[in-house]
Amino acid sequence: DGGITQSPKYLFRKEGQNVTLSCEQNLNHDAMYWYRQDPGQGLRLIYYSQIVNDFQKGDIAEGYSVSREKKESFPLTVTSAQKNPTAFYLCASSPRTGKQGEQYFGPGTRLTVT
Amino acid sequence: DAKTTQPNSMESNEEEPVHLPCNHSTISGTDYIHWYRQLPSQGPEYVIHGLTSNVNNRMASLAIAEDRKSSTLILHRATLRDAAVYYCNANFGYEKLTFGTGTRLTIIP
């Protein structure tokens, strides 16, 4: 089945540790995205990538880093510089860039940092 | 970026139509209107999108005002599975899909 997978579903880390969230898609989509969602809030864009080896900062990129070495993979690293890392993280992809078209979302990773 | 305004919550009886409104008075002429919905602890799911004309698909209909400053998502016959948070987005681009708090739809059996 085609889709987006994120792992793990739940992740626990100690404060001060970096953590990497996985996102893989087999939809052959060019564009991939990372969003953050806090309880009761909407989504905020962290990073996005339109093609391999290229990515751009979204609205809240501070404290995060990404890589896009392969078309199907777009891992997100939450660094110790991120002040409030506990959140629900969502990865998405889309088949085209531009003004229209749907984004396909993964099931999300819930990160808790204590 | 076009700001969107949606009611925080709405209720509807099962098997009745639901009209979910969205205001986007600052929308530009080339911005598409997208609707997504999100069930608890899941990723958002695409529902429908349009530019000027009304649109229909298997999930819903989208009615866009003639001046494009507002739109309405129509669920023709609500089921319990339609209970979710519905997000309207009117500044979609590959780098600009951001959601506000949306409308929490409750379906009453």
Side-chain angles (χ1 to χ4, degrees):
Chain A
D1 279 60
I4 299 178
T5 56
Q6 291 185 245
S7 59
K9 189 171 178 65
Y10 298 95
L11 191 54
F12 298 89
R13 281 294 182 270
K14 295 289 187 184
E15 192 173 331
Q17 293 179 333
N18 291 353
V19 58
T20 297
L21 281 58
S22 168
C23 178
E24 303 279 331
Q25 55 102 354
N26 61 3
L27 301 167
N28 199 33
H29 288 172
D30 288 314
M32 296 187 74
Y33 316 79
W34 273 105
Y35 297 89
R36 170 185 172 134
Q37 186 172 37
D38 293 286
Q41 302 298 310
L43 276 66
R44 291 183 290 169
L45 182 65
I46 305 173
Y47 269 97
Y48 64 99
S49 168
Q50 300 171 53
I51 55 173
V52 174
N53 293 322
D54 185 59
F55 47 83
Q56 283 77 42
K57 293 181 179 179
D59 298 324
I60 55 165
E62 186 175 348
Y64 299 97
S65 66
V66 294
S67 63
R68 186 88 187 275
E69 297 177 0
K70 297 186 297 182
K71 187 175 185 178
E72 58 270 22
S73 178
F74 192 40
L76 173 75
T77 297
V78 184
T79 74
S80 57
Q82 169 51 234
K83 300 299 182 192
N84 298 295
T86 295
F88 188 43
Y89 289 88
L90 288 156
C91 179
S93 70
S94 66
R96 52 185 151 177
T97 58
K99 284 285 194 176
Q100 64 166 321
E102 57 187 284
Q103 288 194 9
Y104 296 77
F105 284 83
T109 292
R110 193 168 297 279
L111 174 64
T112 302
V113 177
T114 57
Chain B
D1 300 342
K3 185 181 184 313
T4 58
T5 304
Q6 299 177 254
N8 288 332
S9 62
M10 292 183 63
E11 287 185 351
S12 178
N13 293 320
E14 194 177 9
E15 299 186 5
E16 290 187 357
V18 181
H19 291 234
L20 297 164
C22 180
N23 288 317
H24 30 77
S25 58
T26 61
I27 191 172
S28 75
T30 57
D31 282 336
Y32 281 77
I33 300 154
H34 287 76
W35 283 82
Y36 283 75
R37 70 181 185 183
Q38 186 177 24
L39 276 64
S41 297
Q42 294 187 26
E45 174 189 30
Y46 166 84
V47 177
I48 200 167
H49 77 279
L51 183 62
T52 56
S53 303
N54 294 344
V55 184
N56 300 296
N57 67 20
R58 63 175 180 81
M59 290 182 69
S61 296
L62 176 60
I64 302 172
E66 195 169 334
D67 63 6
R68 297 198 349 111
K69 294 184 177 181
S70 65
S71 61
T72 302
L73 179 70
I74 302 166
L75 306 178
H76 294 286
R77 192 165 167 269
T79 70
L80 295 177
R81 289 176 295 180
D82 292 321
V85 178
Y86 286 78
Y87 297 101
C88 166
N89 178 280
N91 61 342
F92 178 77
Y94 50 79
E95 77 281 15
K96 283 293 184 183
L97 181 59
T98 56
F99 298 135
T101 53
T103 297
R104 182 173 300 277
L105 176 65
T106 301
I107 305 299
I108 302 167

